[in-house]
Amino acid sequence: MDLTKLIKTQRGGTLEAPLNILFASSEVAPFSKTGGLGDVAGALPSALAQRGHNVQVITPLYRHIDPAELSLSLRLRTLDVPRKARSQSKVEVRLWEGRMASGVRIFFVDAPQFFDRDGVYGYDSDQFEDNAARFAFFSRAVVEFARHSSVPVDVVHCNDWHTGLAPIYAKHYYGDDLGDTRFVFTIHNLAYQGVFDAKTFAATGLPKGDYFKEDGLLHDGSLNFLKGGILYSDAVTTVSQTYADEIQTEAGGCGLHDVLASRAGAVSGILNGADYGVWSPDVDDSIDVRYDVDTLNGKRQNKAALQHGFGLPVRPTMPLLGFVGRLTEQKGLDLLIPALRTKLDAITNEREGFQVVFLGEGEQRYVDALEKLQADYPKRVGVRVGYEEGLAHKLQAGSDILLVPSIFEPCGLTQIYALRYGTLPLVHATGGLADTVIEGSGGDATGFVFQDYEQEQLEDALARATSTYRKYRQWRPLMVNAMRQDFSWGESARAYEELYKA
Ligand code: ADP
Ligand code: GLC
């Protein structure tokens, strides 16, 4: 071990020196969030700080983030962000500084031309046309921030395609200043690669000769930001072990499996955690009644409130299924909606069957299909279209079973949250879902799992889940077991720490 890396602790023992980590993400909950990336960026930096590291977070200042309301302070020094070579076409941006609940410092890049508009990636379902320029700029700002940091940054932790160019800017322009800085790149979802027409290449500001080619930033003729992150980072991670394996196969590689395979030695999977300070029924202030494993009656009250809130008959013993998520193909709705319809069609008695509630926003075809299901079964189906953070918590607390039949799922957080709320997840055995939910008759079971992405298998799993629910002596131990699972961030933070050090 390098002795210069040892410092004295107060008690006179020794500890490895803390790392200086810059965590870069296009979403950071609670400031901005469209999905799980926001949750991760809102929690992992704090877990790393708890392990003694110096962590800073950097993210764009979107229009909805109000510096006055959040009491952010304006940094005296602005940041010059070149859009081309080392100092060409500089844009001067302001930086706002705030603190996360844990005390970790967070910096917001105030570049109105890119971020002062309604929406994070787009408005309604239309992506902004200049997303390549917006996130090339953000990536460049991350690198400039790291360069001007008063303490040398050991690790820049980049997330998803929005920050995919950062390692390239650092290596291409600042090999000297940032020579000791390592780049870790986490893929939260390989299906989103930041693919743009090759004509957009100029937006990166990078020299064509080096990167405008298939063994550079082009992939199948298009500009591909994620590929940049994969090729030019020191380490590449994704958010579960199973997904790390899946993306290196042709079937799961979304066209990039060869690129990933070329970096196989640098690719690893680290499972996300849950922030139990936010997602736990004993502390959750969005739910109607708080509860824990000893006060499960509280869950019944949340269920009644949820049924009422969705305009469904309040029935304590009727299994209540819940779905919360982006309404996209990934989330398995093409299987789920017909499976539920088949099951609902088959109900002959008012006391049989189940109720189901949906919270989501996304593609219109799914909105239409869900609204049609609700219209056909108004006493059985509740649908809320939109993004409502509080309702997502209420749905976790009030449902008996959480439906996550995704085609693929890099990690998935909703099933991890569900476990803590004693809401048993019903999942497709893929990615992080396979790594976090266990079905079986042994004492370790926590939910229901179907192996192949087929409607019949999903229907069978629905039958197993709803019939088990009706046998409380079997159900209760499953709930208790689920609630006792520990997916807190500590373990994942330790794994990232090991990776950073390596
Ligand atoms: P993904 O990142 O693929 O969207 P995850 O399961 O990792 O899936 O994370 C989804 C996160 O977004 C969870 O915190 C979930 O509660 C939240 N979420 C998704 N859709 C909605 C919605 N319509 N309203 C509120 N929260 C939502
Ligand atoms: C992505 C994935 C999801 C994962 C989240 C956070 O959006 O779709 O599975 O949990 O990122 O890593």
Side-chain angles (χ1 to χ4, degrees):
M1 178 180 295
D2 175 3
L3 287 179
T4 59
K5 286 267 168 189
L6 292 175
I7 55 164
K8 290 254 181 256
T9 64
Q10 279 175 337
R11 287 203 204 102
T14 49
L15 190 92
E16 278 196 70
L19 296 167
N20 292 314
I21 301 160
L22 178 62
F23 194 92
S25 175
S26 60
E27 319 180 3
V28 182
F31 307 103
S32 55
K33 168 171 166 183
T34 71
L37 171 61
D39 285 353
V40 172
L44 173 57
S46 306
L48 290 162
Q50 255 181 13
R51 298 189 58 82
H53 302 293
N54 301 321
V55 190
Q56 304 184 96
V57 178
I58 184 166
T59 192
L61 184 82
Y62 300 109
R63 175 176 288 171
H64 72 268
I65 303 175
D66 179 355
E69 194 186 314
L70 294 168
S71 310
L72 304 180
S73 51
L74 185 61
R75 274 210 147 184
L76 287 177
R77 279 181 59 180
T78 54
L79 192 68
D80 279 338
V81 183
R83 299 193 58 199
K84 283 208 168 122
R86 274 186 84 118
S87 57
Q88 273 178 295
S89 318
K90 280 188 183 164
V91 177
E92 186 186 3
V93 297
R94 301 192 298 178
L95 289 172
W96 293 89
E97 180 177 346
R99 298 237 173 216
M100 323 235 325
S102 61
V104 165
R105 294 203 294 169
I106 174 164
F107 296 89
F108 297 89
V109 177
D110 187 357
Q113 69 182 111
F114 297 120
F115 303 122
D116 184 16
R117 50 180 95 173
D118 291 330
V120 171
Y121 308 121
Y123 187 67
D124 266 350
S125 41
D126 292 328
Q127 300 287 299
F128 294 129
E129 277 179 9
D130 58 346
N131 272 346
R134 295 173 78 226
F135 291 105
F137 183 83
F138 177 57
S139 299
R140 190 75 194 248
V142 169
V143 172
E144 295 303 325
F145 184 90
R147 263 183 79 214
H148 292 102
S149 169
S150 50
V151 278
V153 174
D154 298 308
V155 177
V156 179
H157 190 151
C158 296
N159 293 276
D160 274 354
W161 70 263
H162 325 97
T163 51
L165 301 188
I168 308 186
Y169 291 134
K171 284 177 188 165
H172 188 85
Y173 295 119
Y174 307 116
D176 39 359
D177 303 15
L178 292 172
D180 291 331
T181 303
R182 296 286 171 266
F183 282 79
V184 171
F185 184 70
T186 297
I187 301 170
H188 293 264
N189 194 334
L190 192 64
Y192 298 89
Q193 301 180 2
V195 175
F196 303 95
D197 193 306
K199 286 191 272 214
T200 320
F201 185 84
T204 67
L206 287 163
K208 266 194 158 179
D210 296 299
Y211 303 100
F212 193 75
K213 50 187 185 183
E214 287 289 322
D215 60 355
L217 279 177
L218 295 187
H219 192 67
D220 295 336
S222 299
L223 172 61
N224 190 311
F225 277 47
L226 196 83
K227 184 181 179 189
I230 296 171
L231 286 183
Y232 298 92
S233 297
D234 298 289
V236 178
T237 71
T238 187
V239 289
S240 69
Q241 187 52 56
T242 297
Y243 193 61
D245 298 338
E246 288 169 354
I247 59 176
Q248 296 182 63
T249 66
E250 194 172 346
C254 300
L256 284 181
H257 65 283
D258 284 343
V259 178
L260 283 158
S262 76
R263 302 238 40 215
V267 178
S268 62
I270 299 177
L271 192 70
N272 286 332
D275 183 347
Y276 291 135
V278 177
W279 291 99
S280 188
D282 54 338
V283 297
D284 191 332
D285 40 52
S286 301
I287 64 179
D288 289 273
V289 180
R290 292 187 188 177
Y291 62 93
D292 62 21
V293 84
D294 298 316
T295 52
L296 280 175
N297 209 25
K299 185 163 175 65
R300 297 206 180 110
Q301 289 169 265
N302 285 295
K303 175 172 175 176
L306 190 65
Q307 288 169 320
H308 181 73
F310 271 92
L312 298 174
V314 174
R315 308 199 114 181
T317 57
M318 172 78 71
L320 178 59
L321 321 185
F323 173 98
V324 53
R326 295 177 292 111
L327 304 179
T328 60
E329 192 183 5
Q330 174 191 346
K331 299 295 174 180
L333 294 151
D334 293 301
L335 210 59
L336 181 60
I337 298 171
L340 289 172
R341 183 175 283 283
T342 306
K343 291 269 168 204
L344 289 167
D345 284 346
I347 298 173
T348 52
N349 175 323
E350 202 182 295
R351 285 202 299 271
E352 277 177 17
F354 55 85
Q355 296 170 329
V356 58
V357 292
F358 285 86
L359 168 62
E361 73 178 348
E363 291 175 36
Q364 193 58 40
R365 58 188 170 131
Y366 296 122
V367 173
D368 293 343
L370 289 174
E371 286 178 345
K372 174 97 183 22
L373 193 70
Q374 181 184 32
D376 293 343
Y377 295 98
K379 290 192 175 158
R380 297 282 183 170
V381 181
V383 176
R384 187 76 55 89
V385 178
Y387 192 94
E388 290 182 51
E389 191 69 29
L391 188 55
H393 288 249
K394 288 187 199 312
L395 188 144
Q396 290 283 4
S399 306
D400 298 306
I401 296 159
L402 189 84
L403 303 169
V404 199
S406 311
I407 301 178
F408 67 92
E409 195 63 74
C411 175
L413 292 169
T414 59
Q415 84 283 4
I416 297 180
Y417 301 154
L419 292 168
R420 180 53 62 120
Y421 287 79
T423 303
L424 302 189
L426 185 162
V427 306
H428 174 214
T430 183
L433 301 175
D435 294 354
T436 52
V437 181
I438 300 168
E439 177 168 2
S441 49
D444 54 357
T446 55
F448 303 89
V449 184
F450 63 99
Q451 293 302 321
D452 304 318
Y453 189 75
E454 284 166 14
Q455 189 173 327
E456 208 181 299
Q457 289 209 13
L458 171 54
E459 284 176 25
D460 287 349
L462 284 168
R464 292 197 298 280
T466 51
S467 71
T468 311
Y469 175 80
R470 290 178 184 277
K471 295 171 218 141
Y472 195 64
R473 282 190 25 219
Q474 284 181 29
W475 191 259
R476 197 188 134 85
L478 287 171
M479 282 172 84
V480 170
N481 199 29
M483 293 175 84
R484 294 210 165 118
Q485 300 299 305
D486 183 3
F487 287 99
S488 48
W489 271 104
E491 200 41 42
S492 318
R494 207 185 47 72
Y496 280 110
E497 176 186 296
E498 258 174 40
L499 178 78
Y500 298 155
K501 287 183 177 161

